[in-house]
Amino acid sequence: MRLIDWGVLCATLAAIVAYGMWKGRRQERLAQYLLADRQMQWYTVALSVMATQASAITFLSTPGQAFTDGMRFVQFYLGLPVAMVILAVTAVPIYHRLKVFTAYEYLESRFDLRMRTVTAILFLIQRGLGTAMTLFAPALIVSLVLGWNLQLTTLAIGVLVILYTATGGTKAVSWTQTHQLLIALGGMAVAMIIAIRSLPSTVGFTDAVRVAGKMGRINVIDFTFDVTTPYNFWSGLFGGLMVALAYFGTDQSQVQRYLTGETITQSRLGLLFNGLVKVPMQFFILFVGAMVFVFYQFVAPPLHFNPVQREKVRTSEYATQFQQLESQHAQTFAAKRDAAMQLVAAMDANDSAAAERASTSLQALQKEGDATRKAASDLIRKNDPRADKADTDYVFLTFVMQNLPPGLVGLLLAAIFCAAMSATASGLNSLASTSVVDIWKRLLLPGRADHEYVTVSKWMTVFWGVFCIGFALYANQLGSLIEAVNRVGSFFYGTMLAIFLCAFYAKRVGGTAMLWGAVVAEIAVILCARYTTMAWLWWNVVGCVVGVGAAMIAQMMLPAREVRDAR
Amino acid sequence: MTDDKPLTKLYAAVLIALAVEVVLFTILTRSLA
């Protein structure tokens, strides 16, 4: 990091925090603090919704995912636009008309206080852990690649977020998110341009795309139906639809974003904009990863992208073996580079036979390279059993640190910090809302003055911020971090979606039956996770279907109830 | 607060956009493989 990089990074972060605190000044009523007085327009709602979902994990891990596995991860988002339409039609009007502060408030009028409390607690557990990971993941990656202290990096991001989120509330969060997302996307665009411009002069943009295609990185759509693999069209459309319905319909961190809409239409437009833009946005981020992959066909990549683990193994008893793998890797790279240049020349000359030969040779060398990288990862894990299974999460940041010019490194780091802060801020804001509205105000200390609850909300934000920082400092890594975050969600989302689906559409189901349905659904998900090879995306479907089914069956066995209609 | 304009055309546009993206992605995947 050069001085100019530090300057860009610190100036951006200081500006964001100051802006947030300024925007969120003078918040005296709970509706102001938690819902920005319901005054937001659709574009702020839209960018806020998008920024909440696009954490630093998206910007760090997703390009790495494309680097190792290609672009098929985009399929995870195919269900999202459908979910946006469904929620715009159903959930938005219900929440708006009831003037709720949280999604779980609605459940009391529909079922009973017990279901409201149970669901709120499920949310607090799941979002609390999720927000901690949102904080931990980028701190870990940044600290490892830059050599910064992990604890201090985690603290720095966490404290900055707490500052403007606690003082400024939802208004501060929503307004800073609009700028943070634009900075993050701008940073990704810069990285992609640099990756393409750094290729050899004979390799143009079209050549790069074609090389990526031949190497299996432009594998965007896969129509194979296979419940054991997470990324295909069907799991994306159906499993992804369930995740999106649960996340945007029942998770307070998202519901709170669109409850700030001035009218039902403004909230709907915000969600629909997300539905239009999300898939292209994810395609773009994955495409950046594919271009970084192509870059590393012409510029030698490290054998392993985690620099700390690399150094550890080089100074261990496995140093000689690692050195042998490194020289093998260098030889394979040299041969691959030649094959890649031949492929480009053949494609430019429209010589399909030569292109086919070069492509076959390149793919074979890629397999060889992958085997060497796997052997290196295995050696690293032998030396340190707690090391990551793969170095996917370090690819993009390594590329940035080693190849971007001065100043732009600072911009990319600012982009990553912005993404981390925006998602963490939403998380803390929603955790505070649910803690105050569903637990503190409803159960513990009702009937107090509004401004007292505002003060409690601020302290709750700080509490959850401290909790997340504390948990983040002790988190374990579970494969790719973006998968870890979604896995945690998929344990609970199916059940929460079942609760809300019954709330909206199955009017005969009462609170007791729904409670039984939720319990059975969670058991089913745990059994699937423990005893089957079912990919985690499908857990949402299991939780939802079992939850709804079990609730309906339970209701049939209970005494008939008076139908409560909260609309 | 309770403004409730019908947005049917927009709903259709979002779904059509998704379908178009899937078609384009499929063409891209198959042509570059």
Side-chain angles (χ1 to χ4, degrees), chain A residues 1-12 183 186-188 190-191 194 400-416:
Chain A
M1 287 272 286
R2 300 169 195 85
L3 201 57
I4 182 172
D5 295 319
W6 279 109
V8 170
L9 175 62
C10 294
T12 309
I183 292 169
M188 296 302 286
V190 164
I194 302 280
V400 166
M401 293 309 299
Q402 291 179 352
N403 299 285
L404 262 62
L408 291 183
V409 172
L411 173 66
L412 262 293
L413 276 173
I416 288 160

Short mmCIF file of all heavy atoms in Angstrom, two decimals, chain A residues 1-12 183 186-188 190-191 194 400-416:
data_model
loop_
_atom_site.label_atom_id
_atom_site.label_comp_id
_atom_site.label_asym_id
_atom_site.label_seq_id
_atom_site.Cartn_x
_atom_site.Cartn_y
_atom_site.Cartn_z
N MET A 1 0.86 -1.20 0.00
CA MET A 1 0.00 0.00 0.00
C MET A 1 0.89 1.24 0.00
O MET A 1 1.70 1.44 0.88
CB MET A 1 -0.88 0.05 1.25
CG MET A 1 -2.00 -0.94 1.26
SD MET A 1 -3.50 -0.33 0.50
CE MET A 1 -4.13 0.82 1.71
N ARG A 2 0.66 2.08 -0.99
CA ARG A 2 1.43 3.33 -1.03
C ARG A 2 0.64 4.42 -0.33
O ARG A 2 -0.56 4.24 -0.03
CB ARG A 2 1.71 3.71 -2.47
CG ARG A 2 2.52 2.63 -3.22
CD ARG A 2 2.54 2.93 -4.72
NE ARG A 2 2.97 1.78 -5.48
CZ ARG A 2 2.15 0.80 -5.89
NH1 ARG A 2 0.88 0.82 -5.57
NH2 ARG A 2 2.60 -0.21 -6.60
N LEU A 3 1.28 5.56 -0.13
CA LEU A 3 0.65 6.68 0.58
C LEU A 3 -0.63 7.11 -0.11
O LEU A 3 -1.66 7.37 0.54
CB LEU A 3 1.64 7.85 0.64
CG LEU A 3 1.39 8.89 1.73
CD1 LEU A 3 1.36 8.24 3.11
CD2 LEU A 3 2.48 9.97 1.71
N ILE A 4 -0.60 7.15 -1.42
CA ILE A 4 -1.79 7.60 -2.15
C ILE A 4 -2.95 6.61 -1.93
O ILE A 4 -4.12 7.01 -1.82
CB ILE A 4 -1.49 7.81 -3.65
CG1 ILE A 4 -2.75 8.32 -4.36
CG2 ILE A 4 -0.97 6.56 -4.33
CD1 ILE A 4 -2.52 8.75 -5.80
N ASP A 5 -2.64 5.31 -1.84
CA ASP A 5 -3.68 4.31 -1.60
C ASP A 5 -4.31 4.51 -0.23
O ASP A 5 -5.55 4.46 -0.08
CB ASP A 5 -3.09 2.90 -1.69
CG ASP A 5 -2.60 2.57 -3.10
OD1 ASP A 5 -3.30 2.95 -4.06
OD2 ASP A 5 -1.52 1.97 -3.23
N TRP A 6 -3.47 4.74 0.79
CA TRP A 6 -3.97 5.02 2.13
C TRP A 6 -4.85 6.28 2.10
O TRP A 6 -5.90 6.34 2.76
CB TRP A 6 -2.82 5.23 3.11
CG TRP A 6 -2.23 3.94 3.61
CD1 TRP A 6 -1.01 3.42 3.31
CD2 TRP A 6 -2.84 3.01 4.50
NE1 TRP A 6 -0.82 2.22 3.95
CE2 TRP A 6 -1.93 1.95 4.69
CE3 TRP A 6 -4.06 2.98 5.17
CZ2 TRP A 6 -2.20 0.86 5.51
CZ3 TRP A 6 -4.34 1.88 5.98
CH2 TRP A 6 -3.41 0.84 6.16
N GLY A 7 -4.38 7.28 1.37
CA GLY A 7 -5.13 8.54 1.27
C GLY A 7 -6.52 8.32 0.69
O GLY A 7 -7.52 8.78 1.26
N VAL A 8 -6.57 7.59 -0.45
CA VAL A 8 -7.86 7.34 -1.09
C VAL A 8 -8.77 6.54 -0.17
O VAL A 8 -9.95 6.86 0.00
CB VAL A 8 -7.65 6.59 -2.43
CG1 VAL A 8 -8.97 6.10 -3.00
CG2 VAL A 8 -6.94 7.49 -3.44
N LEU A 9 -8.22 5.50 0.44
CA LEU A 9 -9.01 4.64 1.32
C LEU A 9 -9.57 5.43 2.50
O LEU A 9 -10.77 5.42 2.76
CB LEU A 9 -8.15 3.47 1.82
CG LEU A 9 -8.80 2.54 2.85
CD1 LEU A 9 -10.02 1.85 2.28
CD2 LEU A 9 -7.79 1.49 3.34
N CYS A 10 -8.69 6.12 3.23
CA CYS A 10 -9.12 6.84 4.44
C CYS A 10 -10.09 7.96 4.11
O CYS A 10 -11.08 8.17 4.83
CB CYS A 10 -7.91 7.37 5.20
SG CYS A 10 -6.89 6.04 5.85
N ALA A 11 -9.81 8.68 3.02
CA ALA A 11 -10.71 9.78 2.64
C ALA A 11 -12.10 9.25 2.31
O ALA A 11 -13.12 9.83 2.74
CB ALA A 11 -10.14 10.53 1.44
N THR A 12 -12.17 8.14 1.58
CA THR A 12 -13.48 7.57 1.22
C THR A 12 -14.24 7.14 2.47
O THR A 12 -15.42 7.44 2.63
CB THR A 12 -13.31 6.35 0.29
OG1 THR A 12 -12.46 6.70 -0.79
CG2 THR A 12 -14.65 5.88 -0.25
N ILE A 183 -19.67 3.03 -5.47
CA ILE A 183 -18.21 2.96 -5.34
C ILE A 183 -17.74 1.53 -5.59
O ILE A 183 -16.77 1.28 -6.31
CB ILE A 183 -17.75 3.43 -3.94
CG1 ILE A 183 -17.99 4.93 -3.78
CG2 ILE A 183 -16.28 3.10 -3.71
CD1 ILE A 183 -17.81 5.44 -2.36
N GLY A 186 -18.09 0.66 -9.25
CA GLY A 186 -17.06 1.41 -9.98
C GLY A 186 -15.69 0.75 -9.84
O GLY A 186 -14.94 0.60 -10.81
N GLY A 187 -15.38 0.33 -8.63
CA GLY A 187 -14.11 -0.35 -8.38
C GLY A 187 -13.98 -1.63 -9.19
O GLY A 187 -12.93 -1.93 -9.76
N MET A 188 -15.06 -2.41 -9.27
CA MET A 188 -15.04 -3.66 -10.03
C MET A 188 -14.80 -3.37 -11.51
O MET A 188 -14.06 -4.09 -12.19
CB MET A 188 -16.37 -4.41 -9.88
CG MET A 188 -16.68 -4.87 -8.49
SD MET A 188 -15.44 -5.97 -7.81
CE MET A 188 -15.75 -7.47 -8.71
N VAL A 190 -13.21 -0.84 -12.80
CA VAL A 190 -11.80 -0.47 -12.95
C VAL A 190 -10.92 -1.73 -12.99
O VAL A 190 -10.04 -1.87 -13.84
CB VAL A 190 -11.37 0.46 -11.80
CG1 VAL A 190 -9.87 0.55 -11.68
CG2 VAL A 190 -11.97 1.84 -11.98
N ALA A 191 -11.18 -2.65 -12.07
CA ALA A 191 -10.38 -3.89 -12.01
C ALA A 191 -10.49 -4.68 -13.31
O ALA A 191 -9.50 -5.21 -13.83
CB ALA A 191 -10.84 -4.75 -10.83
N ILE A 194 -8.49 -2.98 -16.10
CA ILE A 194 -7.06 -3.22 -15.89
C ILE A 194 -6.69 -4.64 -16.30
O ILE A 194 -5.66 -4.87 -16.96
CB ILE A 194 -6.65 -2.96 -14.43
CG1 ILE A 194 -6.97 -1.55 -13.99
CG2 ILE A 194 -5.18 -3.31 -14.19
CD1 ILE A 194 -5.99 -0.48 -14.43
N VAL A 400 -5.67 -7.55 -7.39
CA VAL A 400 -5.74 -6.10 -7.18
C VAL A 400 -4.42 -5.57 -6.62
O VAL A 400 -3.84 -4.60 -7.13
CB VAL A 400 -6.91 -5.76 -6.22
CG1 VAL A 400 -6.80 -4.33 -5.70
CG2 VAL A 400 -8.24 -5.96 -6.91
N MET A 401 -3.92 -6.24 -5.58
CA MET A 401 -2.73 -5.73 -4.90
C MET A 401 -1.50 -5.79 -5.79
O MET A 401 -0.63 -4.93 -5.72
CB MET A 401 -2.45 -6.55 -3.62
CG MET A 401 -3.49 -6.40 -2.54
SD MET A 401 -3.86 -4.69 -2.15
CE MET A 401 -2.27 -4.12 -1.59
N GLN A 402 -1.43 -6.79 -6.65
CA GLN A 402 -0.21 -7.00 -7.44
C GLN A 402 -0.23 -6.31 -8.79
O GLN A 402 0.81 -6.17 -9.43
CB GLN A 402 0.06 -8.49 -7.62
CG GLN A 402 0.44 -9.18 -6.33
CD GLN A 402 0.67 -10.67 -6.51
OE1 GLN A 402 0.41 -11.24 -7.56
NE2 GLN A 402 1.15 -11.30 -5.45
N ASN A 403 -1.41 -5.88 -9.25
CA ASN A 403 -1.48 -5.43 -10.64
C ASN A 403 -2.11 -4.07 -10.87
O ASN A 403 -2.06 -3.56 -11.99
CB ASN A 403 -2.23 -6.48 -11.48
CG ASN A 403 -1.52 -7.82 -11.46
OD1 ASN A 403 -0.50 -8.00 -12.11
ND2 ASN A 403 -2.04 -8.75 -10.67
N LEU A 404 -2.75 -3.51 -9.86
CA LEU A 404 -3.38 -2.20 -10.09
C LEU A 404 -2.40 -1.07 -9.78
O LEU A 404 -1.55 -1.20 -8.89
CB LEU A 404 -4.64 -2.06 -9.22
CG LEU A 404 -5.95 -2.36 -9.96
CD1 LEU A 404 -6.01 -3.77 -10.44
CD2 LEU A 404 -7.15 -2.01 -9.10
N PRO A 405 -2.51 0.03 -10.51
CA PRO A 405 -1.58 1.14 -10.28
C PRO A 405 -1.88 1.86 -8.96
O PRO A 405 -2.97 1.67 -8.39
CB PRO A 405 -1.85 2.08 -11.48
CG PRO A 405 -3.17 1.70 -12.00
CD PRO A 405 -3.45 0.28 -11.61
N PRO A 406 -0.94 2.69 -8.49
CA PRO A 406 -1.14 3.43 -7.23
C PRO A 406 -2.42 4.27 -7.29
O PRO A 406 -2.75 4.83 -8.34
CB PRO A 406 0.09 4.34 -7.14
CG PRO A 406 1.09 3.74 -8.05
CD PRO A 406 0.36 2.99 -9.11
N GLY A 407 -3.08 4.34 -6.17
CA GLY A 407 -4.33 5.09 -6.12
C GLY A 407 -5.52 4.19 -6.38
O GLY A 407 -6.51 4.21 -5.63
N LEU A 408 -5.43 3.40 -7.43
CA LEU A 408 -6.55 2.49 -7.75
C LEU A 408 -6.63 1.34 -6.76
O LEU A 408 -7.71 0.80 -6.49
CB LEU A 408 -6.45 1.98 -9.18
CG LEU A 408 -6.68 3.05 -10.25
CD1 LEU A 408 -6.63 2.43 -11.64
CD2 LEU A 408 -8.01 3.75 -10.05
N VAL A 409 -5.48 0.96 -6.20
CA VAL A 409 -5.52 -0.06 -5.14
C VAL A 409 -6.33 0.47 -3.97
O VAL A 409 -7.19 -0.22 -3.41
CB VAL A 409 -4.08 -0.42 -4.67
CG1 VAL A 409 -4.13 -1.31 -3.45
CG2 VAL A 409 -3.31 -1.09 -5.79
N GLY A 410 -6.06 1.72 -3.61
CA GLY A 410 -6.82 2.35 -2.52
C GLY A 410 -8.30 2.40 -2.85
O GLY A 410 -9.15 2.16 -1.99
N LEU A 411 -8.64 2.71 -4.10
CA LEU A 411 -10.04 2.77 -4.52
C LEU A 411 -10.70 1.40 -4.39
O LEU A 411 -11.81 1.28 -3.87
CB LEU A 411 -10.13 3.26 -5.97
CG LEU A 411 -11.54 3.21 -6.58
CD1 LEU A 411 -12.47 4.19 -5.88
CD2 LEU A 411 -11.50 3.50 -8.08
N LEU A 412 -10.00 0.34 -4.84
CA LEU A 412 -10.58 -1.00 -4.74
C LEU A 412 -10.75 -1.43 -3.29
O LEU A 412 -11.77 -2.04 -2.93
CB LEU A 412 -9.71 -2.02 -5.48
CG LEU A 412 -10.13 -2.42 -6.89
CD1 LEU A 412 -11.45 -3.19 -6.89
CD2 LEU A 412 -10.25 -1.23 -7.80
N LEU A 413 -9.79 -1.08 -2.46
CA LEU A 413 -9.93 -1.41 -1.04
C LEU A 413 -11.10 -0.65 -0.43
O LEU A 413 -11.86 -1.18 0.37
CB LEU A 413 -8.64 -1.09 -0.28
CG LEU A 413 -7.60 -2.20 -0.36
CD1 LEU A 413 -6.30 -1.74 0.27
CD2 LEU A 413 -8.09 -3.45 0.36
N ALA A 414 -11.22 0.62 -0.82
CA ALA A 414 -12.37 1.42 -0.35
C ALA A 414 -13.67 0.76 -0.80
O ALA A 414 -14.64 0.70 -0.04
CB ALA A 414 -12.27 2.85 -0.88
N ALA A 415 -13.67 0.25 -2.04
CA ALA A 415 -14.87 -0.42 -2.57
C ALA A 415 -15.23 -1.62 -1.71
O ALA A 415 -16.39 -1.85 -1.38
CB ALA A 415 -14.63 -0.84 -4.02
N ILE A 416 -14.22 -2.40 -1.35
CA ILE A 416 -14.46 -3.59 -0.55
C ILE A 416 -14.94 -3.22 0.84
O ILE A 416 -15.89 -3.81 1.37
CB ILE A 416 -13.18 -4.45 -0.50
CG1 ILE A 416 -12.96 -5.09 -1.88
CG2 ILE A 416 -13.26 -5.53 0.58
CD1 ILE A 416 -11.56 -5.55 -2.13
#
